[in-house]
Amino acid sequence: MAASSLLQFPYLDSQLSSKPKSVRHLKSTPHSLHIKASTFDPSNTTPPASTTTAASNSTVTGGCNIRDEARRYSLSHPQPANNFSAKYVPFNAGPGCTESYSLDEIIYRSQSGGLLDVQHDIDALKAFPGSYWRALFDSRVGKTSWPYGSGVWSKKEWVLPDISSDDIISAFEGNSNLFWAERFGKQFLDMNDLWVKHCGISHTGSFKDLGMTVLVSQVNKLRKMKKPVVGVGCASTGDTSAALSAYCASAGIPSIVFLPSNKISMAQLVQPIANGAFVLSIDTDFDGCMKLIREVTAELPIYLANSLNSLRLEGQKTAAIEILQQFDWEVPDWVIIPGGNLGNIYAFYKGFHMCKELGLVDKIPRLVCAQAANANPLYLYYKSGWKEFKAVKANSTFASAIQIGDPVSIDRAVYALKNSNGIVEEATEEELMDAMAHADSTGMFICPHTGVALTALSKLRNSGVIRPTDRTVVVSTAHGLKFTQSKIDYHSRNIKDMGCRFANPPVEVKADFGSVMDVLKKYLLSKEPKY
């Protein structure tokens, strides 16, 4: 970046630098600053004294909304162009590779047919030290300033640096709760530092919102550029379609969804329908839907929204950065992530790795990918010592969003795991449902996929790989309310060939005082503390 350039960044209020390390929530700050690069000393990590900008003082009046306000401010306070940029390159390409594409091109594969990746100009980002980026990201949290109130767009320079804020489609997603699972950790795992990152507490109830805001924003830009895009399409096991349809509805862009018939929950099915998507229910599984959508998008001007498209991973990686923020930039020992199509495990790796590469932290956590045993191609590949990958026919699983036998991002996942000294574990149907019941009994209300991740954690604790004192984060990918039928079936003991050992069904009792008292006394006696 040119030394004389002038950048306007919201910045950390210096008064908050004394906030205690024990604070685990994302911080909000009341001030913004103009930072003049020519006077910024990279060796000085102490934020300068606060001076409030006109943007932070302006009042929304006369029908002006936050997007209008951001537009007006950018027009009245023009900033010189910066050198931040990003482009598509072949995934894991060597240093001699010259193949690259603009993010404004509609392309999903490299010349060789391999995956693409979004590559940022790291040298330009390194013009500022890690302390600068930490302070910048922290300063934007909790604001209503467009678009920085989003947990994704608060990291805009690391996501889509070239997009205009006016093109962004956002529901202020991200900034999700990092929950201290105190009782679950102590009672079931003898752990005191267990955390659950509730990515499902989001706009459409899943982590997919993080990536979809990026993808739909870019499509919005492409349509304004008169690129041939009439709509956006995806194959889905539920959550992708919910996120796509919601963000497209917000942007006024048609969305097309391919869903496998009778293989997703009703709560997941109703989301794209309610958001006005054109939904095709197809008599196949997810892998069959994925094959069809790829064929269709090759023939029609429909933009492909599945994780084959690397734009989504740029949004999803911000969940990793959020975890570091929530720990005041202290790196956890382990992060455990459910895996289906396997883009998310790479997205988390990418987020952690960027933070290390740019000096925000000095290491990355070990990653664990957790798969359902009924759809476990990555686990089998890992157990073979990475000798040969074989797709599998995914069998039915309560963790329906990861019921995928031929994952698109297999190469990305292997790269992430190898470079983080990672592990792959699996969970049977009974194990994942029991783990979900245990978690719910301690105050959570998780999805079956989080049950898969908690099962992996339990196995690694029992084997001694994860120690009692290790700080561990389990990523919860969707909200439990999307999977109420599976919970009803479990607590009704209505699942074939499953013991449902921790079911908690209602107790039938007569409508008289004596009967109610008898039942309550018996229950309360069973709950008396044992000293």
Side-chain angles (χ1 to χ4, degrees):
M1 180 178 299
S4 60
S5 67
L6 186 68
L7 298 178
Q8 187 244 326
F9 286 131
Y11 210 87
L12 178 70
D13 179 13
S14 59
Q15 294 180 359
L16 291 182
S17 62
S18 61
K19 187 175 280 289
K21 286 289 184 181
S22 60
V23 175
R24 301 300 181 195
H25 57 80
L26 287 169
K27 303 181 285 294
S28 63
T29 57
H31 299 297
S32 299
L33 288 182
H34 285 294
I35 304 301
K36 196 171 185 178
S38 59
T39 61
F40 180 70
D41 179 5
S43 66
N44 180 11
T45 60
T46 302
S50 297
T51 58
T52 307
T53 66
S56 61
N57 276 337
S58 58
T59 304
V60 178
T61 58
C64 181
N65 58 46
I66 59 173
R67 190 192 290 270
D68 293 334
E69 189 65 33
R71 187 186 302 118
R72 277 197 330 189
Y73 185 78
S74 65
L75 290 173
S76 61
H77 297 76
Q79 301 295 320
N82 60 55
N83 292 332
F84 302 146
S85 63
K87 60 186 177 181
Y88 292 124
V89 298
F91 171 72
N92 201 21
C97 179
T98 59
E99 182 184 352
S100 67
Y101 308 91
S102 165
L103 298 188
D104 295 336
E105 293 187 56
I106 301 173
I107 186 169
Y108 312 112
R109 292 280 194 180
S110 68
Q111 291 175 359
S112 66
L115 298 169
L116 292 172
D117 197 16
V118 175
Q119 182 184 84
H120 292 263
D121 186 341
I122 296 297
D123 289 337
L125 295 172
K126 282 183 176 179
F128 293 100
S131 57
Y132 175 87
W133 292 114
R134 288 196 301 265
L136 172 63
F137 294 160
D138 284 349
S139 75
R140 290 170 169 172
V141 172
K143 302 293 181 59
T144 58
S145 303
W146 185 263
Y148 301 123
S150 161
V152 173
W153 297 110
S154 64
K155 289 88 176 168
K156 181 175 181 287
E157 295 81 6
W158 291 23
V159 177
L160 285 187
D162 292 327
I163 196 168
S164 165
S165 294
D166 203 39
D167 293 336
I168 289 173
I169 306 299
S170 173
F172 279 13
E173 52 289 309
N175 298 329
S176 56
N177 181 29
L178 184 62
F179 174 80
W180 181 32
E182 179 184 17
R183 186 179 164 208
F184 183 90
K186 290 178 179 178
Q187 182 172 337
F188 298 113
L189 299 169
D190 189 29
M191 297 181 73
N192 195 45
D193 210 0
L194 173 63
W195 302 79
V196 177
K197 177 65 169 167
H198 281 294
C199 293
I201 303 177
S202 188
H203 182 55
T204 70
S206 88
F207 79 95
K208 299 292 177 72
D209 295 345
L210 302 176
M212 210 56 75
T213 181
V214 177
L215 184 140
V216 175
S217 295
Q218 180 66 12
V219 171
N220 191 41
K221 176 185 177 183
L222 295 177
R223 283 164 62 91
K224 289 183 179 181
M225 296 170 65
K226 308 300 181 184
K227 295 278 187 174
V229 179
V230 298
V232 189
C234 74
S236 179
T237 49
D239 289 332
T240 300
S241 64
L244 174 65
S245 59
Y247 283 86
C248 281
S250 180
I253 299 172
S255 58
I256 300 97
V257 172
F258 288 18
L259 292 176
S261 299
N262 303 316
K263 291 183 175 66
I264 68 170
S265 74
M266 188 57 66
Q268 290 173 299
L269 173 62
V270 76
Q271 285 185 282
I273 290 173
N275 285 135
F278 186 67
V279 179
L280 302 179
S281 181
I282 302 174
D283 186 20
T284 184
D285 57 11
F286 171 81
D287 295 311
C289 287
M290 189 67 219
K291 179 176 182 294
L292 284 168
I293 194 71
R294 288 172 63 180
E295 292 172 347
V296 166
T297 53
E299 297 294 328
L300 296 175
I302 298 171
Y303 195 82
L304 180 63
N306 285 98
S307 57
L308 175 65
N309 188 319
S310 53
L311 278 176
R312 276 181 43 199
L313 306 186
E314 293 307 292
Q316 289 166 212
K317 78 183 181 189
T318 62
I321 306 171
E322 275 187 20
I323 288 172
L324 297 177
Q325 281 184 283
Q326 288 168 306
F327 284 129
D328 293 320
W329 303 101
E330 295 175 2
V331 181
D333 298 296
W334 298 88
V335 176
I336 304 175
I337 305 161
N341 221 14
L342 302 180
N344 210 26
I345 186 79
Y346 176 66
F348 270 81
Y349 169 78
K350 191 171 187 182
F352 288 127
H353 181 261
M354 280 191 75
C355 287
K356 180 176 182 291
E357 188 175 19
L358 290 168
L360 284 74
V361 296
D362 59 3
K363 62 179 181 178
I364 67 172
R366 292 186 69 181
L367 299 181
V368 177
C369 189
Q371 291 207 294
N374 282 2
N376 63 349
L378 179 67
Y379 175 76
L380 297 176
Y381 191 20
Y382 171 77
K383 295 298 286 186
S384 75
W386 306 121
K387 290 179 181 177
E388 182 183 3
F389 173 74
K390 294 180 180 178
V392 302
K393 175 67 175 176
N395 294 314
S396 178
T397 171
F398 283 103
S400 57
I402 57 175
Q403 186 179 321
I404 298 169
D406 191 11
V408 166
S409 293
I410 180 65
D411 293 337
R412 291 170 174 151
V414 173
Y415 181 90
L417 289 161
K418 286 183 176 180
N419 284 280
S420 65
N421 192 21
I423 295 172
V424 187
E425 258 298 350
E426 67 172 355
T428 67
E429 294 302 287
E430 188 152 12
E431 286 172 339
L432 72 89
M433 292 297 284
D434 284 347
M436 182 172 69
H438 270 155
D440 289 353
S441 73
T442 64
M444 290 184 269
F445 194 72
I446 63 168
C447 63
H449 317 83
T450 311
V452 174
L454 289 172
T455 299
L457 168 60
S458 179
K459 290 181 175 181
L460 293 172
R461 272 291 297 117
N462 290 338
S463 65
V465 174
I466 294 181
R467 298 169 299 180
T469 56
D470 285 351
R471 173 170 288 171
T472 303
V473 178
V474 170
V475 176
S476 180
T477 55
H479 202 292
L481 284 172
K482 288 190 172 190
F483 301 93
T484 52
Q485 189 58 54
S486 65
K487 294 176 184 287
I488 291 169
D489 291 343
Y490 182 92
H491 289 289
S492 302
R493 293 191 174 92
N494 195 29
I495 302 175
K496 185 179 180 182
D497 299 325
M498 187 177 293
C500 304
R501 292 179 295 156
F502 310 108
N504 183 33
V507 176
E508 298 288 339
V509 60
K510 292 180 181 179
D512 65 76
F513 178 76
S515 298
V516 170
M517 287 294 291
D518 288 344
V519 168
L520 284 175
K521 287 178 181 179
K522 182 178 179 181
Y523 170 76
L524 293 173
L525 284 171
S526 71
K527 295 298 179 182
E528 281 190 345
K530 298 179 174 54
Y531 300 103

